[in-house]
Amino acid sequence: MSESATHAAIETVARNSYGRLIAFLAARSGDVAGAEDALGDAFVAALERWPVDGTPQKPEAWLLHAARNRLIDAARRNQIRQHSEKFLQQLAEEAQTVAATHQYFPDERLKLLFVCAHPAIDAAARTPLMLQTVPGVDAERIASAFLVSPAAMAQRLVRAKNKIRDAAIPFCLPDPPEWDERIFFVLDAIYSAYTAGWESVIEVSSTPHALAGDAIAVGRTLVQLMPAEPEAHGLLALMLHCEARRAARYTRNGEFVPLDQQDTARWSRPMIDEAENHLLSAAAFKRMGRYQLEAAIQSVHASRAVSGCINWQEIVLLYEGLVQIAPGIGSLVGRAVALAQAGKPAAGFAALEDIPSSRVANYQPYWAARGHLLQLLKQKDEAQKAFTRAASLTDDPALREYLFKRSAGRI
C-alpha cells in the first residue's frame, strides 16, 4: 500500500473511531490522558507498519492492541498500583477478544461524556473535555473558541484528566437523580459549544465555525447512544435548524441579515429535514423539555420556506411554555419579541420591562429587541439609544453595522 493510501486509511479511522477508541481504553485504565498518549503512539506505529504490512482487516482492533501494550508498558515503568494492574490485564484480555471475535468494539463514549460531566471536574473544564475526548478537537482550537490562551486551556484539560485518574472517577452510567443532573449538564455543554461556534462568525474556515460542527457531531453521538432521551433529539434538532441557516445570515457582500428577512433558498433543506425528523422522534416520548421547545420555535421559522410567512401566534405559545420550563434571559427576551411580532408591541415591551435590569445590562439581544420594540411603538429617540447600546455589545462587525443602521433609521 502506498504511503498516501496508508495516511488516508489512518485518517479515516481517526475521524470515525477516535472517540470510541479513547473511551474504550480510558474506561478500563481509568486514565484519560494515558489513553490519549497510548493511542497517539499506536497511530505513530500504524504510520510505520501499515505501509509495509498493509492496512489490517480490523484497523481499530490493531490500534487497540498496540495502545494496550503501551498502556501496560507505561504502567510497569511507573510501578502503578496493583489494582490498576488488574484494570490493564482486563484491557489486554478484552482487546484480544475484540481482535479475535468482533468487528466492532464496545462503545463507551456515553460513559466518557458522563465522566466529563462529573461534579468533581471543574465546571469550566467539562465542556472542553467533552470536545477533546469524544470528537478529538485539539486544545488550541478549543482555546480559541473559548477565548483563553492555548496554554491555559491545556493546563485546564490536564488538571481535569488528572482528577479523573487520581479520584478514580468510575466509568459508569450514574443512577437517578445524579443521572438527571449530569445528562442536562451534558446537553447544556454541547449547546454552549455550539453557540460559541455560531455567534459572530462569517468565515466558514474559522475555528469557531469548526467548533459548531464538532458540537453537532457530539450531539449526533449522544442521540446514537441515547435514542430514548427526547431532549437529546431536541438539542440536535435545535442545532441543525440553526446550522441550516448559516449561509443566509449574511449577504454575499458580508451584510448581516435578520432571521425573518433571510433568503430561504439559501437554507439547507437536508439539515431542516433531519431536524424535523429528530423533533418527531422526541415528540413520540411525550416528555417535553427545553430543547424540544427551542427546536420547535426554530421549526416554525423554518416553515416560512414553504408557507412564505411566520406564525407568530404559535411562536408565542411555544415561548410561554419555554419560560415556564427554562426562564432564562434568552427565552424571556424571545417571548417579548414574539408578542410584539404577533401584533402586541405594548405587551412585548412590558414583558421586556419586567426583566430585572441586572440581568440585561450587557446582554446584547435584549438591547436589540428593545430598540426594535421601541421602533414599533414610534419612540424613535429611545429606540436609537437602545440600538446604539446593542451595537456596542457585539464583536460582529456586520451585526454592529446593521444595528447602527437601525439606530439611524436607515432600515
Side-chain angles (χ1 to χ4, degrees), residues 54-135:
T55 302
Q57 185 178 4
K58 299 176 182 178
E60 290 91 349
W62 190 99
L63 289 164
L64 276 181
H65 183 82
R68 65 99 176 181
N69 286 343
R70 281 153 180 78
L71 276 172
I72 291 170
D73 290 343
R76 288 170 178 161
R77 284 196 306 271
N78 297 329
Q79 295 182 332
I80 207 154
R81 295 185 303 272
Q82 185 64 32
H83 75 272
S84 293
E85 284 277 12
K86 292 180 180 178
F87 274 125
L88 294 171
Q89 181 61 33
Q90 176 195 0
L91 170 61
E93 293 171 357
E94 291 192 22
Q96 194 68 34
T97 301
V98 169
T101 61
H102 299 294
Q103 185 175 358
Y104 300 106
F105 53 94
D107 195 336
E108 309 281 16
R109 286 174 295 176
L110 184 58
K111 292 179 182 178
L112 183 54
L113 284 171
F114 273 96
V115 168
C116 294
H118 194 280
I121 304 297
D122 178 14
R126 295 175 196 171
T127 302
L129 193 59
M130 290 179 200
L131 290 168
Q132 189 181 61
T133 56
V134 177

Side-chain angles (χ1 to χ4, degrees), residues 266-287:
R266 299 186 68 192
W267 291 353
S268 168
R269 189 72 242 177
M271 278 194 180
I272 292 172
D273 290 343
E274 185 182 355
E276 291 299 300
N277 287 335
H278 282 292
L279 263 181
L280 286 173
S281 296
F285 295 100
K286 301 186 185 305
R287 286 191 285 122

